Amino acid sequence: MKVIDCGTLVDGTGKAPITDARILVEDGRVTEVGPAESVDAPDGAEHVDHSGETVIPGLIDAHLHLKGTRSMDPFDWVRESSELNTARATADARTLLESGFTAIRDVGSDAGIPVRDAIDDGTIPGPRVFTSGRSFSQTAGHGDAHYLPYEWATSRDAGGDGIVDGADECRKGARKRIREGADLIKIMTTGGVLSEKDAPSQSQFTDAEIRAFTEEAHRVGIPVASHAQGAPGIKSALRNGVDTIEHGFYIDQECLDLFEETGAVFVPTLAIMHRLIEEGADYGVPEYGLEKARNASEAHFDATRRAYEAGVPIALGTDFLGPEPMAHGENALEAELFVDEVGMSEHEAIVAGTGTAAETVPVDDIGTLTVGNHADIVAFEESPLDDITNLYEPTTVYKGGERA
């Protein structure tokens, strides 16, 4: 039994923070939590003192990529070996854990499943990983020769088994990912910023194709995430059962109504757009990507503000990949942007990165410091309730009640 005393406790549910709080942890899970005066410390328990600090649940990045790349040059992404990138992704996993992210949702990579399994069996340190494996795109879609110049797309099959067309192929592809052990399915229902020959406004996949993915995923109890930037592709995804919308640049009122109707979670990924515009040119991002990012940026931030004002559940997700300026370890940037650009309070931004982010994964025992949940805990000497940028500087991180 471990007794953790907290100066201020944010439990991730959205309830008001508790001062002079106490958490009891046994076998890696929370057994009791509340004001210290009402939570008795058992005899012989190990005491941990964070009574001068602010304690929150472990943070969750609900949209990133364990790609392991160290370059923003699309040509490098095909030149680098998958073995090298998987090795680098293990280093990124350690960095994420040390920076306070005790769980992540990897929405498209080759390294996600092996890195997850190595963390789970204790071989390497890292957060709890929920991964889609490789994502799915239609031919000539956002993931067809994903991020690569057109000349490469036409000269090699860069998409592999992630390129599917027709409902039958989509269904078979989803079943293959499930067999491989994916925790969710990731699809592309619009074009995107870093794919050369399409645009965020262009819809991709038919209704029948989207339904094939969601039917197969929901049959085994896992969610479907959709890269969806233009309004028509967002609506198609929501109407056909997708659980989370990623990016959502051009959300309109009908989209907001569908969010309310379906209960889907919005993961806006403001951080990558911010970094693309501010620093992308310095790190080899192609000009076509920079131009699309600049053109979409104002609408993206406005859509996120309107979703927030409408009460749509918003989860923290960065879309970080690994290389500068999207290096893992600085993932708290998304929470900073929620406060500075969207209008969330610091407490709301923390909930977006804990309790709400946990709604994007197929488990119900992370994201909040409530009885029965994993004791994933982060302590801060300088409170993020006072200044959200303090999220960048955790003093102590616990995963399953053990210091990381």
Side-chain angles (χ1 to χ4, degrees):
M1 176 71 72
K2 185 174 292 183
V3 178
I4 302 176
D5 287 325
C6 317
T8 300
L9 173 67
V10 178
D11 70 6
T13 66
K15 295 178 182 178
I18 304 170
T19 56
D20 298 322
R22 176 171 287 167
I23 308 169
L24 302 188
V25 177
E26 187 171 20
D27 296 328
R29 292 183 181 266
V30 176
T31 60
E32 195 171 352
V33 61
E37 62 185 11
S38 64
V39 178
D40 293 330
D43 293 338
E46 175 188 354
H47 281 258
V48 179
D49 184 13
H50 291 294
S51 58
E53 299 179 329
T54 297
V55 170
I56 71 171
L59 291 161
I60 302 168
D61 190 325
H63 184 125
L64 56 69
H65 300 273
L66 286 175
K67 293 180 70 69
T69 183
R70 292 297 182 264
S71 171
M72 288 302 299
D73 181 344
F75 286 101
D76 287 342
W77 294 1
V78 290
R79 294 186 181 116
E80 294 169 339
S81 72
S82 60
E83 293 84 1
L84 174 60
N85 285 340
T86 299
R88 289 168 171 166
T90 66
D92 289 340
R94 179 195 292 269
T95 297
L96 283 158
L97 181 60
E98 291 173 346
S99 64
F101 285 81
T102 58
I104 58 174
R105 191 175 64 138
D106 166 52
V107 286
S109 77
D110 291 325
I113 290 175
V115 170
R116 179 200 65 191
D117 293 349
I119 291 170
D120 287 350
D121 70 16
T123 301
I124 59 173
R128 304 181 193 280
V129 175
F130 301 91
T131 181
S132 67
R134 186 176 292 183
S135 54
F136 288 104
S137 168
Q138 68 176 43
T139 296
H142 180 56
D144 185 358
H146 190 34
Y147 298 156
L148 300 181
Y150 181 72
E151 301 79 41
W152 283 70
T154 55
S155 66
R156 57 183 289 161
D157 178 18
D161 67 353
I163 306 302
V164 290
D165 296 290
D168 288 345
E169 284 191 11
C170 295
R171 194 175 300 278
K172 183 174 182 179
R175 290 174 177 175
K176 289 176 67 176
R177 286 294 178 276
I178 292 163
R179 180 185 64 191
E180 292 165 3
D183 303 295
L184 65 144
I185 300 296
K186 167 72 179 302
I187 65 175
M188 314 293 195
T189 61
T190 72
V193 169
L194 291 178
S195 43
E196 185 186 19
K197 294 295 183 179
D198 63 15
S201 60
Q202 295 171 353
S203 295
Q204 298 175 1
F205 282 134
T206 65
D207 285 359
E209 289 169 327
I210 298 169
R211 281 198 303 273
F213 287 120
T214 59
E215 286 171 0
E216 293 304 317
H218 293 166
R219 194 191 311 277
V220 297
I222 65 173
V224 178
S226 177
H227 164 107
Q229 297 179 348
I234 295 168
K235 294 169 192 176
S236 295
L238 291 172
R239 287 177 180 139
N240 290 287
V242 163
D243 301 279
T244 66
I245 295 295
E246 319 297 312
H247 315 304
F249 293 176
Y250 299 108
I251 285 174
D252 62 16
Q253 185 58 50
E254 188 177 356
C255 293
L256 294 176
D257 293 341
L258 283 167
F259 271 109
E260 182 177 8
E261 177 184 328
T262 63
V265 176
F266 179 30
V267 191
T269 67
L270 302 176
I272 191 169
M273 288 288 280
H274 177 79
R275 286 285 172 86
L276 279 172
I277 292 167
E278 293 292 317
E279 302 180 51
D282 297 331
Y283 289 93
V285 176
E287 180 57 33
Y288 63 80
L290 296 174
E291 182 178 358
K292 284 193 279 185
R294 289 190 290 264
N295 290 341
S297 178
E298 183 176 348
H300 188 198
F301 279 89
D302 182 63
T304 307
R305 292 185 199 103
R306 287 187 290 108
Y308 165 64
E309 291 166 0
V312 173
I314 295 176
L316 184 155
T318 60
D319 205 9
F320 281 2
L321 311 168
E324 294 287 354
M326 292 87 177
H328 294 305
E330 299 177 2
N331 306 63
L333 174 61
E334 188 77 5
E336 181 182 356
L337 293 171
F338 284 164
V339 172
D340 292 348
E341 301 292 342
V342 178
M344 290 187 187
S345 68
E346 282 80 357
H347 187 201
E348 288 173 323
I350 292 169
V351 172
T354 55
T356 306
E359 296 177 20
T360 70
V361 298
V363 299
D364 59 5
D365 56 4
I366 64 171
T368 62
L369 292 173
T370 50
V371 173
N373 278 10
H374 289 290
D376 298 341
I377 300 167
V378 188
F380 298 87
E381 184 174 349
E382 300 294 332
S383 178
L385 290 170
D386 298 329
D387 182 344
I388 197 65
T389 63
N390 289 329
L391 282 182
Y392 291 105
E393 300 292 340
T395 56
T396 314
V397 180
Y398 300 89
K399 179 185 173 188
E402 298 299 322
R403 187 164 182 162

